[in-house]
Amino acid sequence: MTDSEPTASSTGPTPVSVLLPTVRWTDACDEMVGQLRGPEAFAGENGDEGGEFDGDPAADELLVICDTPDDPVADRRGDLPDRVRVVIAGEPAGCSGKANAIAAGMEAAANDRIAWTDDDFHHPADWLATLDADYDRRGPTTEVPVFVGEDPLARLFEPAYVIGGTLAVFAAGVAWGGAVIFERDDLRDGEAAFRRDLRRTVSDDGTLTEHLDVSAADRTRYVEAGGSLRGSLERFVRFFTITRYHAPRATAFNAVFGVAMAALCLFAPFAGVALVTALAGAAYARFGISRATFLLAAPGVLLAPPLMAYALARRTFVWGGRRYRWRSMFDVEVEPV
């Protein structure tokens, strides 16, 4: 879709269902509540401009999706703001908890226009309106994540995540599940096929990328990552495994490139360190990232080959309190931690 092509909302505003998986009521929930538009914003859709309306009035909604009734956020079900619902997805079987939650949210959502988001970054007051306007101009749209390390290992990973994550999302048509908007009809193989794939795999946004043509807005969101060395290591294994299954050619290139850069830093340290630091600095500058962690690019490059070998050797990883044995794209076993 090009900017010149009209979308369904060209005749008026379109209500959005926001899917937010979380087990607790967080600041992100409050941020989203304040951005929801009520029925008064959709007068035409609600029959106020002639004709009779038969059904529920159109409005934005927020679906807070948890796993079980024992999750703390489920206690809010009797005390929720207007246009907010808690959806209980159930325990995942054969897929990740996140993919299961998104599938349940897609089923429960009242609107055709869907926005996904997460609870680990700040949503400014115009976040939903801006993303919605992006869809009207360009169709399915994602924002771009910048992962900010909360522990020493996560900070060491920052340059790699900017180059392999931030830059890849922006340039390669990759959907980031933390901030993406689309409509059900945009899914190439239909919503039923999409939800079926979600319920037999791990990566929600990787699966969305398989089913959706999306473009990136030139806009970043800072996402806290890590907090413990073990957590950062598990995140690295998960990210590497996601790219291994969803983008095997890119993973192979990254592995070869990483080994080549590590060899250059070892055998020609002055040239190698200068080159990888300059590349990381250029990527940081491109996205306006004002963090000195680009200076860690060289030690990160030296650590990358053994870490990638470790990720390839691992048969499981831990995410959100569950251990996943991900054997192939649609072969996932959930194990207790």
Side-chain angles (χ1 to χ4, degrees):
M1 180 178 293
T2 66
D3 290 347
S4 62
E5 292 177 324
T7 66
S9 66
S10 60
T11 59
T14 301
V16 181
S17 293
V18 181
L19 310 188
L20 174 56
T22 182
V23 297
R24 296 176 179 81
W25 189 272
T26 65
D27 290 343
C29 299
D30 289 321
E31 291 166 356
M32 292 312 310
V33 167
Q35 301 183 37
L36 300 177
R37 298 166 295 180
E40 66 280 357
F42 306 96
E45 285 77 2
N46 292 329
D48 293 342
E49 295 179 358
E52 296 182 359
F53 175 77
D54 182 16
D56 294 332
D60 291 339
E61 63 172 355
L62 171 64
L63 276 60
V64 179
I65 312 162
C66 62
D67 296 322
T68 73
D70 296 328
D71 290 329
V73 75
D75 294 337
R76 292 288 303 264
R77 281 180 292 173
D79 181 27
L80 289 169
D82 292 341
R83 300 180 297 281
V84 179
R85 289 185 283 155
V86 170
V87 176
I88 298 176
E91 288 287 350
C95 66
S96 70
K98 180 74 177 297
N100 187 55
I102 290 295
M106 292 287 295
E107 284 182 324
N111 298 316
D112 288 330
R113 185 170 296 185
I114 310 290
W116 295 3
T117 193
D118 291 330
D119 67 351
D120 53 3
F121 68 95
H122 170 62
H123 300 72
D126 63 346
W127 180 84
L128 182 57
T130 302
L131 199 59
D132 189 37
D134 285 335
Y135 185 92
D136 288 339
R137 288 191 300 268
R138 61 202 300 170
T141 303
T142 185
E143 293 184 332
V144 183
V146 175
F147 295 102
V148 177
E150 296 293 300
D151 63 78
L153 186 58
R155 283 189 283 275
L156 189 63
F157 287 159
E158 280 189 34
Y161 285 158
V162 168
I163 295 172
T166 305
L167 184 59
V169 168
F170 180 77
V174 175
W176 172 47
V180 63
I181 191 167
F182 60 95
E183 292 189 350
R184 299 180 196 269
D185 288 345
D186 296 322
L187 296 166
R188 284 191 297 269
D189 300 317
E191 184 183 348
F194 173 57
R195 286 192 276 107
R196 182 180 64 248
D197 284 353
L198 280 174
R199 287 195 164 111
R200 54 184 183 147
T201 193
V202 168
S203 176
D204 54 304
D205 37 19
T207 305
L208 181 61
T209 301
E210 300 278 354
H211 285 260
L212 183 73
D213 295 319
V214 66
S215 62
D218 196 356
R219 191 167 59 247
T220 57
R221 300 296 174 195
Y222 284 63
V223 181
E224 295 180 356
S228 70
L229 295 178
R230 179 60 183 272
S232 291
L233 192 59
E234 295 291 341
R235 177 187 288 263
F236 180 87
V237 174
R238 172 164 55 93
F239 280 6
F240 187 86
T241 309
I242 288 172
T243 59
R244 176 185 167 194
Y245 286 134
H246 285 280
R249 292 182 180 178
T251 304
F253 173 83
N254 290 340
V256 171
F257 182 76
V259 170
M261 290 297 100
L264 183 62
C265 287
L266 281 174
F267 298 112
F270 291 107
V273 170
L275 176 61
V276 299
T277 303
L279 289 173
Y284 275 52
R286 167 61 185 81
F287 294 102
I289 304 170
S290 300
R291 290 180 61 80
T293 50
F294 76 93
L295 296 172
L296 299 174
V301 159
L302 290 173
L303 191 59
L307 278 176
M308 287 189 288
Y310 171 76
L312 281 170
R314 281 281 300 270
R315 293 295 175 261
T316 68
F317 58 85
V318 175
W319 180 24
R322 298 182 178 94
R323 182 179 299 278
Y324 296 99
R325 189 176 298 275
W326 194 6
R327 300 183 183 90
S328 63
M329 180 74 82
F330 299 123
D331 184 359
V332 181
E333 183 178 348
V334 186
E335 302 176 355
V337 175

